[in-house]
Amino acid sequence: MKSLDSRVALVTGASKGIGRATADALAKEGAHVVLAARSRDHLATASRELVSLGLKASIEVADITDPTQADRVIKSTVSQFGRLDILVNNAGMGYFKPALEMSLKELDEMWNLNLRAVFVVTKAALPHMIANKWGAIVNISSLAGKNSFKGGTGYSATKWALRGFASSLMLEVREHNVRVITIFPGS
């Protein structure tokens, strides 16, 4: 028996990079992995590859910056599998330039994906984890959430905010046996 047999995991930004690798690792540990991202083609490829290895995977095409789509992903996952045990908030993006060169549109895009979408998806997932008295929320941040750097004013701000959100959330949900973990990968 694998460590995550019977668990259901949702990974945002799962079509490539860290999200894809995380989805692969969770599936290899026995979880049914729901891969969520905007690109149907990349998601379909990732899912096919996992299924070809005898692993459990499905896809949800969504732009999680849209609260309606984010909520749909959670509802669809729970409807299909009866539960949601693990949420990996991986979707993210960054513009790296000095504050004077950054547009408000670029800043808003980062805030909407790197923090607001995390809040929306997490808020939709939590009632299911609390009802099951078990859950894990894993936030993929960045070392930029601990260390400032030139050209990182907007991006670092979103990652520091994610760190604050996650730290406070952990205190709010631990009594329900829901863990909140934040990972700070480097470049």
Side-chain angles (χ1 to χ4, degrees), residues 83-109:
R83 61 189 305 124
L84 174 58
D85 302 295
I86 301 164
L87 169 62
V88 179
N89 287 311
N90 171 71
M93 55 93 59
Y95 292 105
F96 304 98
K97 56 177 73 171
L100 288 174
E101 296 174 16
M102 185 172 299
S103 70
L104 185 56
K105 180 182 181 289
E106 291 168 330
L107 182 66
D108 286 346
E109 285 178 29

Side-chain angles (χ1 to χ4, degrees), residues 10-11 14-15 32-37 39-48 50-51 56-62 72-73 76-77 80-81:
L10 169 64
V11 181
S15 62
H32 183 105
V33 179
V34 179
L35 298 98
S39 171
R40 179 176 300 279
D41 292 342
H42 289 120
L43 286 173
T45 299
S47 178
R48 267 194 312 276
L50 288 170
V51 170
K56 298 172 277 189
S58 57
I59 66 171
E60 286 289 335
V61 179
R72 176 187 49 80
V73 168
S76 175
T77 298
Q80 287 180 63
F81 306 105

Side-chain angles (χ1 to χ4, degrees), residues 49-68:
E49 289 173 7
L50 288 170
V51 170
S52 75
L53 296 172
L55 303 173
K56 298 172 277 189
S58 57
I59 66 171
E60 286 289 335
V61 179
D63 177 353
I64 61 167
T65 63
D66 175 346
T68 303

Side-chain angles (χ1 to χ4, degrees), residues 59-152:
I59 66 171
E60 286 289 335
V61 179
D63 177 353
I64 61 167
T65 63
D66 175 346
T68 303
Q69 290 185 47
D71 191 53
R72 176 187 49 80
V73 168
I74 299 297
K75 286 179 179 171
S76 175
T77 298
V78 173
S79 174
Q80 287 180 63
F81 306 105
R83 61 189 305 124
L84 174 58
D85 302 295
I86 301 164
L87 169 62
V88 179
N89 287 311
N90 171 71
M93 55 93 59
Y95 292 105
F96 304 98
K97 56 177 73 171
L100 288 174
E101 296 174 16
M102 185 172 299
S103 70
L104 185 56
K105 180 182 181 289
E106 291 168 330
L107 182 66
D108 286 346
E109 285 178 29
M110 288 187 289
W111 277 102
N112 285 337
L113 183 55
N114 296 356
L115 186 64
R116 187 173 183 267
V118 169
F119 174 82
V120 170
V121 173
T122 300
K123 187 173 179 183
L126 273 172
H128 305 286
M129 293 177 180
I130 290 169
N132 291 333
K133 297 178 177 56
W134 195 95
I137 298 168
V138 180
N139 300 298
I140 307 300
S141 184
S142 165
L143 280 179
K146 292 182 175 187
N147 305 308
S148 300
F149 64 97
K150 187 176 179 179

Side-chain angles (χ1 to χ4, degrees), residues 1 19 36 44 46 152 156:
M1 186 158 144
S156 288

